[in-house]
Amino acid sequence: MPSLSSTIAWLAAYEQRLNEQCSAASLIAPGYIQPHGLLLVLQAPGLTIRHLSANAPAWLHLSEAELIGQPLQQILSASQYQRVLHHLNQVYAGLGTPFELRLKAHHQMTPTPPRQSFRCQLQAIADGVLLELEPLHPRSSFNGVSLYHRLQATLLELRQSTDLHDLAQRLTQTIAHLTDFDRVMVYQFQPDDHGVVIAETKRPDRESYLGLHYPAFDIPPASRQLFLRNWVRLIPDVQAAPVPLLPPDADHAIDLSDSVLRGVSPYHIEYLQNMGVAATMTLSLITEQRLWGLIACHHYQPKTVDYEMRHTCELIGQLASIELMHQQSRGRHHYQQQVRAIQAELQRAFATTPNFIEAVLTRHRDHLLTLVNAEGAAILIDDHLTLLGHTPPRCRCAIASGLVSRANDRTGVCHSSTRSTLCARPSLSSPGQRLASCFHLPGQSSAAVLSSAVVSPRSAANHQLGR
């Protein structure tokens, strides 16, 4: 088994490599797209084609030379070009929506494919416009009426939840039922930015990830910013080769931050392959302009999700985000009431037996742990250690003496009140071990080392939720 120091060194090197490979520049301007659609980069104001994805000539039945440098209206009918202009004005007004285009016939390089209609989206970038085209799939029975009823039923289902975890579980069940993904998880970010799977719906033959914790660097800051910008991220085929943008231009990277087809980081592809995942869809959960968590959907075969279903799931994610705020508000109110009651009871106990701190805290173990939301405590009084609940090994709990001596410097303080200070030291645990922090009672020669959640040994080795 590796030593603690070697594990820490490995994690530090791993995090550095991850940050280098997943920098903001490499994520937002990868220079390639996913192959389930095509991309045209247009130069404003004449909408001249400046760049295109390498698969565009095959889809549009025109050579690269016939496309690069040509005005968009040369490959569209007059009515279709006017539709593009109309939607571009909507984009500039902040009201952009997807629309359908049926391309006019051209000299054909290859046999005409069965589909000529595309779902299109326009995105304004610093010096031009992105036009993304996804081939339309055969029409289904999905329509506006069914969307309304699905959303209405989902909202009623979410509002019946009794607490945060019940809400998350209902959410995974709803998304799994709608999309048929093999696994759907709700992944919640914690105050220190690490994440935990709090709900899961999966195929019976798949291993459960429920309750596993993953380090903050599993999803780097640049990826989190993209999740804040975009509610949905789809990777329909992890094994599919990326499609480069032509002609290449290393001096002028093309910003694909809001592109539906934006290429995937090779780092993320590697981890999905290690897990055996063939397709993913990730939905953002956002509360108070902060990324609260993610709905991560995994499939073990390539899987296409059309725009209508993605849009439905996006709206469900937005409804769930609103309900999350309500649940958090109710939860905070309940917790505050609970804390006040526990504080009052502990105060009464200390008042009646002021010289028996250890006995009071031991007798009120459940109240103490509830007060600070911990699984266990190690009470240290005059070098005498008493363990309560689920704790790290006794030898590790001895760090309490060092933490107490430094408690007044407020280093690492993540919570404080008039009666207590919680000094977190969560970063030195090896995979599979418990994190620890110190609870100090000012004015007393006592402290408690509080155990937190178990760190998954797979977190840094083979798991990424979606980028």
Side-chain angles (χ1 to χ4, degrees):
M1 179 178 293
S3 66
L4 178 59
S5 59
S6 63
T7 300
I8 294 171
W10 183 87
L11 289 175
Y14 174 86
E15 183 174 5
Q16 181 179 358
R17 172 174 171 263
L18 176 60
N19 287 331
E20 290 172 355
Q21 295 192 4
C22 296
S23 64
S26 66
L27 289 178
I28 69 175
Y32 52 86
I33 65 168
Q34 298 182 72
H36 60 281
L38 62 111
L39 175 67
L40 301 177
V41 182
L42 309 174
Q43 180 69 53
L47 300 187
T48 301
I49 300 174
R50 191 180 74 199
H51 296 275
L52 50 77
S53 55
N55 60 352
W59 280 109
L60 302 177
H61 317 302
L62 292 168
S63 68
E64 181 183 342
E66 291 175 301
L67 290 168
I68 294 293
Q70 296 298 315
L72 182 64
Q73 64 186 117
Q74 293 297 317
I75 65 170
L76 299 179
S77 68
S79 61
Q80 298 287 7
Y81 183 67
Q82 289 301 315
R83 177 175 293 184
V84 171
L85 292 180
H86 168 74
H87 282 276
L88 183 57
N89 288 330
Q90 297 287 343
V91 168
Y92 288 142
L95 302 172
T97 56
F99 58 99
E100 183 177 338
L101 281 182
R102 179 176 291 276
L103 300 182
K104 65 181 181 180
H106 291 278
H107 172 69
Q108 297 176 4
M109 298 172 55
T110 58
T112 304
R115 289 193 295 260
Q116 291 293 307
S117 293
F118 295 86
R119 174 75 64 185
C120 304
Q121 294 193 68
L122 289 162
Q123 306 283 350
I125 57 176
D127 55 350
V129 177
L130 302 181
L131 174 58
E132 296 184 276
L133 301 94
E134 290 183 75
L136 279 176
H137 299 281
R139 295 287 184 182
S140 66
S141 59
F142 195 96
N143 55 47
V145 174
S146 66
L147 171 62
Y148 169 78
H149 286 296
R150 287 186 184 190
L151 293 178
Q152 184 183 48
T154 298
L155 182 58
L156 291 174
E157 175 74 14
L158 296 181
R159 286 184 171 174
Q160 291 175 5
S161 57
T162 56
D163 55 31
L164 180 63
H165 287 82
D166 184 36
L167 170 64
Q169 188 59 44
R170 290 172 185 260
L171 189 54
T172 64
Q173 292 169 349
T174 297
I175 297 296
H177 174 73
L178 285 175
T179 64
D180 290 325
F181 271 93
D182 291 333
R183 184 195 306 276
V184 179
M185 300 169 285
V186 170
Y187 183 87
Q188 181 186 6
F189 293 118
Q190 303 300 300
D192 65 354
D193 286 337
H194 92 273
V196 56
V197 178
I198 65 170
E200 177 185 58
T201 297
K202 66 177 184 66
R203 271 175 31 188
D205 60 328
R206 290 293 169 179
E207 177 187 9
S208 177
Y209 294 158
L210 183 63
L212 295 185
H213 292 242
Y214 300 95
F217 56 74
D218 255 15
I219 303 178
S223 297
R224 299 183 191 224
Q225 287 302 313
L226 288 172
F227 283 129
L228 271 174
R229 292 180 63 130
N230 304 290
W231 286 88
V232 181
R233 173 63 163 159
L234 175 67
I235 306 174
D237 188 353
V238 169
Q239 302 288 353
V243 180
L245 299 181
L246 303 175
D249 188 351
D251 296 329
H252 298 88
I254 299 170
D255 185 353
L256 301 182
S257 297
D258 299 322
S259 168
V260 174
L261 300 173
R262 174 169 47 84
V264 187
S265 162
Y267 167 84
H268 185 44
I269 292 293
E270 175 187 351
Y271 276 82
L272 291 174
Q273 291 173 339
N274 288 344
M275 297 171 64
V277 174
T280 70
M281 183 174 70
T282 309
L283 310 170
S284 299
L285 294 170
I286 300 172
T287 62
E288 299 175 343
Q289 300 182 333
R290 180 181 64 87
L291 188 63
W292 183 92
L294 301 170
I295 305 170
C297 309
H298 288 178
H299 209 66
Y300 295 91
Q301 294 179 346
K303 181 176 179 61
T304 298
V305 183
D306 61 26
Y307 168 78
E308 285 78 10
M309 181 57 70
R310 296 199 307 263
H311 183 54
T312 299
C313 292
E314 176 181 344
L315 292 175
I316 290 173
Q318 293 172 352
L319 290 173
S321 296
I322 295 172
E323 191 61 29
L324 278 173
M325 288 191 291
H326 294 161
Q327 285 284 0
Q328 287 179 316
S329 178
R330 289 192 290 267
R332 281 194 296 266
H333 178 69
H334 174 73
Y335 178 71
Q336 288 168 353
Q337 288 183 317
Q338 190 178 36
V339 165
R340 281 194 289 268
I342 292 172
Q343 285 179 331
E345 185 162 345
L346 288 176
Q347 285 176 338
R348 288 193 295 270
F350 281 128
T352 56
T353 54
N355 297 322
F356 297 95
I357 297 174
E358 180 181 354
V360 170
L361 294 178
T362 302
R363 189 168 64 249
H364 294 271
R365 181 190 70 174
D366 293 341
H367 287 157
L368 173 63
L369 299 182
T370 301
L371 180 65
V372 292
N373 193 27
E375 297 176 358
I379 303 171
L380 182 71
I381 300 178
D382 296 331
D383 295 327
H384 177 69
L385 193 64
T386 300
L387 302 183
L388 304 176
H390 300 288
T391 67
R394 178 174 291 271
C395 60
R396 290 192 179 274
C397 291
I399 64 171
S401 58
L403 291 175
V404 170
S405 66
R406 295 187 302 231
N408 290 331
D409 65 10
R410 293 297 189 264
T411 301
V413 171
C414 63
H415 171 77
S416 63
S417 70
T418 57
R419 295 190 56 80
S420 66
T421 302
L422 187 63
C423 307
R425 298 292 188 276
S427 61
L428 300 181
S429 288
S430 303
Q433 295 177 329
R434 292 183 176 272
L435 305 179
S437 57
C438 172
F439 178 72
H440 173 58
L441 297 174
Q444 306 287 345
S445 59
S446 62
V449 177
L450 308 175
S451 70
S452 182
V454 175
V455 182
S456 165
R458 288 175 294 176
S459 61
N462 63 358
H463 186 74
Q464 284 275 297
L465 285 174
R467 215 173 274 131

